[in-house]
Amino acid sequence: MNHQHVQLEINRLVYHLKQDQTADGSWNYPFDTGITADAYMIILLKILDIEDAPLIEALVKRIESRQTENGSWKLFHDEKEGNLSVTIEAYYGLLYSGLRKKQDPHMRKAKQFILSNGGIKQTNTLTKMMLTVTGQYKWPPLFPIPLEVILLPPTFFINIYDLSVYGRVNLIPLLLLGHKKYQIKSSNAPSLKDLYQTREERTEEYVWEEYRTDEYRSFFSKLQTGVKTLIGYPDYLHSLALESTKRYMLDRLEPDGTLYNYFVSTFFMIFALLSTGYSKKDPVILKAVAGLKGMACSVDGYTHIQFTTAHVWNTSLISYALQEAGLPSKDQTVKAANQYLLSRQHYMYGDWLVHNPNAVPGGWGFSDLNTMNPDVDDTTASLRALAGQLQTTPDNQNSWQRGVAFTISMQNDDGGFPAFERNNDHKWLHLTPFEGAKYFLTDPSTADLTGRTLEFLGNYTNLKKPEKVSKKAVDWLLKDQERDGSWYGRWGICYLYGTWAALTGLKAAGQSSEHPAIQKALAWLKKVQNKDGGWGESCYSDIKQHYMPLGASTLTHTAWAVDALVSASEKTTPEIEKGITYLIREAQKESWTNDYPAGQALANLSYIHYHSYRYIYPLLALSHYRNKFMNV
């Protein structure tokens, strides 16, 4: 590859990123999760009688801009016909706005799609919960979790801290709502009765399909057994459980009034507080709504409500990428970014303390106003960005040491690394009726987090393979490798992401490129390269749990694959050269692949398009290629 072409593209990407930096030093590229939060926001504003016509009109336009020809909405481009749950959410939100009617042609097409795909009965559990709370669906006779379960201590064989923090923070408001069988809707709420396919589904006796299974009965039995140990059900325990549930939510409000800076948990928390007697005009409610409005951003000229913001994640990755491209830590752009990151390091204890009692705060969270819910990935990403500054400045040594100590303290007993809480992977939670329970309700070791942590420890703390922490992580990664040589990545799409993270981590930990696992992974990467020199993976990989090609290449997937190959190759290869050529040739072209999700939250439920990734990862891949093979 011509050195000049590589350097020109690096320069272009650096310039573009510099131009997009905001005044506080961060980057606020959108965290784009489709239309779900847009629809929920319309419904919330209408139910709370909050007049905001400009926002509602803007969200209606955004939702309609994503509708497909057959009337449906999709989670991702190659989803075959459309997504039933997302289509119902969009249809409901549009009707609730009052700006669209069932008779409108595009609404009729949406309804036809919904009915032809099974109606409301076939939606996912989260959508059913939203429809139930807002009065469109009956609560099942037995909601799964007795309210008193919140009183069971962390030392008990079953307790709320067995749930992952992102499962816990969403389910606790639902726990209270389900206990009270609470429902609320505005006076002019639309009716979705015509989306039921049978009369039975409309009755209170109807039991959701999720709760008819043997797995659910086993789960419910465990909960009942635990709660019965609380000496029956005396009234004072019930009152205590009610107050504890409220306190759990209120004690975890972030500075903007949202619950852990997450949209969905805050959405359900607002209704949970209303169920306990809070007024729609209560300051806590109004501040939470203002916090959710604060998550609005612009995507392609449309207003989008994000599930959360991604300021810390974007800023840490971009600062690191700029420095890998050659910018010194004294560069003004890097200095401003790193000053922002230092201001976001955590000093508060959070739920993570339950599973990691000997650790002290020092990590970083994902979003701008996250103060108590750090994660391993954001912590190592921030430390990478800050390494050049913190390791050479005595005043910042404490910040560095706290960050590294927190990272190491999060290692699971199995040797891998989780996202939010250590040793919180209880297999019995897979029995719950929630889709994707394995990753929604548990926080297991994953290849992407373990690989990225290994890469950080190896390249920035000099903890190589012989060191205990790294050795355990390497051993876990080697056991986790798929038969075809790839690794599954939990937070990205999917096998390309996991393989990139694992390979770069193993190399940083001191593994030889000749190791059989690394050779097998390299062979797999080369095998799945597209003819155009790029790589592309479908979100169906996440659903099917094996690699599914996208049928087209994307800049982000190609950058991950190229960076992985560069890290584990002693000299450049034809596959690397073709990949680099693709990254330069396609960098400024516009196509649907640029908007394809590269991140995932939950399989078949929520996928993420990071608008920053098309700049970050090509810049990293090109810089690493230049630095290793062009003697720069």
Side-chain angles (χ1 to χ4, degrees):
M1 171 56 64
N2 184 289
H3 175 276
Q4 185 180 12
H5 291 161
V6 173
Q7 190 60 51
L8 282 173
E9 181 57 17
I10 289 174
N11 293 345
R12 186 191 72 83
L13 290 166
V14 168
Y15 177 79
H16 186 98
L17 289 168
K18 279 191 165 190
Q19 294 300 112
D20 284 352
Q21 189 176 31
T22 62
D24 68 357
S26 71
W27 279 267
N28 60 0
Y29 286 109
F31 183 73
D32 187 347
T33 49
I35 59 86
T36 292
D38 303 330
Y40 281 34
M41 192 71 189
I42 293 172
I43 296 163
L44 180 66
L45 292 174
K46 286 293 186 177
I47 288 176
L48 294 178
D49 302 318
I50 295 175
E51 293 296 327
D52 194 336
L55 177 57
I56 290 174
E57 289 172 13
L59 294 176
V60 165
K61 290 178 181 177
R62 150 84 172 175
I63 293 169
E64 290 181 336
S65 75
R66 305 291 286 264
Q67 190 176 18
T68 67
E69 281 296 315
N70 71 349
S72 73
W73 279 260
K74 293 183 176 185
L75 284 172
F76 48 89
H77 180 85
D78 55 322
E79 192 170 26
K80 290 182 172 59
E81 290 187 358
N83 187 278
L84 176 63
S85 293
V86 175
T87 301
I88 288 177
E89 291 167 347
Y91 181 78
Y92 189 30
L94 291 174
L95 287 177
Y96 229 127
S97 75
L99 302 175
R100 299 294 181 265
K101 306 298 181 186
K102 292 182 179 182
Q103 294 75 24
D104 296 340
H106 67 300
M107 298 294 283
R108 292 169 67 91
K109 288 176 72 174
K111 178 181 175 180
Q112 183 179 358
F113 174 85
I114 292 167
L115 291 175
S116 65
N117 283 273
I120 285 181
K121 178 181 177 181
Q122 299 301 322
T123 58
N124 65 54
T125 306
L126 186 64
T127 305
K128 278 200 183 92
M129 292 293 183
M130 182 274 290
L131 293 173
T132 300
V133 172
T134 60
Q136 299 294 338
Y137 214 113
K138 298 295 184 182
W139 283 101
L142 287 174
F143 191 68
I145 308 175
L147 188 64
E148 288 79 6
V149 77
I150 199 167
L151 300 176
L152 296 172
T155 53
F156 204 71
F157 79 91
I158 179 173
N159 63 87
I160 61 165
Y161 292 98
D162 287 346
L163 306 174
S164 70
V165 66
Y166 39 92
R168 185 185 318 132
V169 77
N170 284 297
L171 287 182
I172 281 181
L174 288 170
L175 171 66
L176 182 53
L177 288 164
H179 167 75
K180 289 181 168 289
K181 300 288 193 292
Y182 182 77
Q183 295 187 304
I184 183 173
K185 54 185 175 181
S186 67
S187 58
N188 58 348
S191 171
L192 299 185
K193 287 183 178 179
D194 52 345
L195 299 185
Y196 295 105
Q197 294 200 322
T198 67
R199 185 175 298 175
E200 178 199 12
E201 292 175 53
R202 303 190 197 115
T203 67
E204 293 193 31
E205 288 72 33
Y206 177 72
V207 179
W208 298 358
E209 294 295 325
E210 294 91 330
Y211 303 138
R212 299 185 188 210
T213 64
D214 291 338
E215 289 83 1
Y216 167 67
R217 293 190 184 95
S218 173
F219 168 64
F220 189 69
S221 175
K222 282 179 179 287
L223 291 172
Q224 286 184 313
T225 300
V227 171
K228 284 177 180 177
T229 64
L230 294 171
I231 320 172
Y233 295 87
D235 290 341
Y236 84 91
L237 276 182
H238 176 74
S239 299
L240 182 60
L242 181 63
E243 187 59 31
S244 296
T245 306
K246 282 199 295 184
R247 280 263 57 89
Y248 180 91
M249 296 183 290
L250 296 174
D251 288 347
R252 287 156 181 81
L253 296 182
E254 292 288 14
D256 64 348
T258 62
L259 181 54
Y260 267 156
N261 256 167
Y262 293 148
F263 181 93
V264 174
S265 61
T266 306
F267 176 88
F268 285 119
M269 177 196 74
I270 289 170
F271 293 127
L273 293 177
L274 291 176
S275 78
T276 67
Y278 276 62
S279 160
K280 291 180 180 180
K281 304 302 180 185
D282 189 281
V284 173
I285 302 287
L286 294 179
K287 188 175 181 180
V289 173
L292 295 181
K293 285 186 178 183
M295 293 181 186
C297 68
S298 179
V299 175
D300 300 326
Y302 295 101
T303 298
H304 172 49
I305 303 294
Q306 302 169 100
F307 271 179
T308 188
T309 60
H311 291 54
V312 173
W313 181 241
N314 283 328
T315 304
S316 59
L317 291 178
I318 292 170
S319 175
Y320 161 65
L322 290 174
Q323 292 176 76
E324 292 296 282
L327 268 64
S329 58
K330 294 181 180 179
D331 178 271
Q332 190 54 45
T333 300
V334 175
K335 282 180 67 176
N338 288 355
Q339 195 59 42
Y340 169 84
L341 290 175
L342 283 171
S343 74
R344 294 305 190 271
Q345 188 173 22
H346 287 193
Y347 289 86
M348 293 177 63
Y349 286 94
D351 283 9
W352 54 266
L353 184 66
V354 172
H355 299 282
N356 196 2
N358 297 320
V360 297
W364 276 262
F366 183 82
S367 60
D368 185 41
L369 296 177
N370 182 333
T371 65
M372 64 185 99
N373 188 32
D375 66 89
V376 171
D377 226 3
D378 277 282
T379 299
T380 60
S382 297
L383 289 170
R384 274 189 206 90
L386 292 163
Q389 177 181 341
L390 296 188
Q391 292 178 318
T392 58
T393 310
D395 294 347
N396 293 324
Q397 281 294 302
N398 181 56
S399 187
W400 174 262
Q401 290 166 359
R402 287 195 305 115
V404 173
F406 180 81
T407 299
I408 293 172
S409 77
M410 288 292 287
Q411 187 171 32
N412 286 330
D413 289 346
D414 63 12
F417 281 84
F420 297 96
E421 295 174 337
R422 71 183 301 269
N423 292 337
N424 201 14
D425 181 20
H426 302 280
K427 300 297 189 290
W428 64 267
L429 286 167
H430 300 180
L431 302 176
T432 63
F434 286 93
E435 293 87 353
K438 178 180 178 181
Y439 289 113
F440 178 54
L441 300 181
T442 64
D443 191 4
S445 296
T446 65
D448 46 331
L449 288 161
T450 304
R452 300 308 295 141
T453 306
L454 265 179
E455 190 277 337
F456 167 73
L457 294 175
N459 287 336
Y460 293 90
T461 70
N462 208 31
L463 294 178
K464 300 287 186 181
K465 181 184 174 184
E467 206 279 334
K468 182 180 178 182
V469 172
S470 294
K471 184 180 185 306
K472 285 179 65 180
V474 166
D475 290 346
W476 184 89
L477 263 184
L478 294 176
K479 292 176 184 175
D480 190 60
Q481 189 175 27
E482 304 286 334
R483 289 183 179 180
D484 63 8
S486 67
W487 279 269
Y488 170 79
R490 159 68 179 93
W491 298 97
I493 307 298
C494 256
Y495 293 91
L496 288 172
Y497 185 63
T499 304
W500 163 69
L503 276 178
T504 53
L506 289 171
K507 285 301 297 176
Q511 288 291 337
S512 166
S513 295
E514 300 306 313
H515 190 287
I518 291 180
Q519 285 296 307
K520 194 173 183 181
L522 292 175
W524 178 80
L525 280 172
K526 294 173 183 178
K527 179 182 176 183
V528 298
Q529 186 175 22
N530 295 329
K531 290 182 180 179
D532 63 5
W535 282 260
E537 182 174 359
S538 172
C539 292
Y540 275 118
S541 286
D542 188 40
I543 299 167
K544 304 291 186 183
Q545 290 290 290
H546 62 82
Y547 176 76
M548 297 284 289
L550 179 59
S553 299
T554 79
L555 289 169
T556 301
H557 282 132
T558 301
W560 287 336
V562 168
D563 200 43
L565 291 172
V566 168
S567 73
S569 301
E570 301 307 318
K571 59 183 180 180
T572 189
T573 66
E575 292 81 9
I576 292 174
E577 294 297 319
K578 290 177 183 177
I580 293 290
T581 299
Y582 176 90
L583 290 175
I584 295 173
R585 184 183 71 240
E586 302 296 324
Q588 299 183 64
K589 293 182 180 178
E590 294 300 328
S591 79
W592 63 266
T593 62
N594 292 331
D595 298 327
Y596 196 79
Q600 58 123 328
L602 284 173
N604 210 21
L605 283 171
S606 181
Y607 295 93
I608 305 152
H609 168 36
Y610 290 93
H611 288 241
S612 59
Y613 278 17
R614 67 176 295 185
Y615 311 116
I616 295 169
Y617 289 110
L619 179 57
L620 279 173
L622 290 166
S623 299
H624 291 159
Y625 170 84
R626 179 199 64 182
N627 298 345
K628 188 169 185 176
F629 299 131
M630 290 186 165
N631 299 316
V632 176

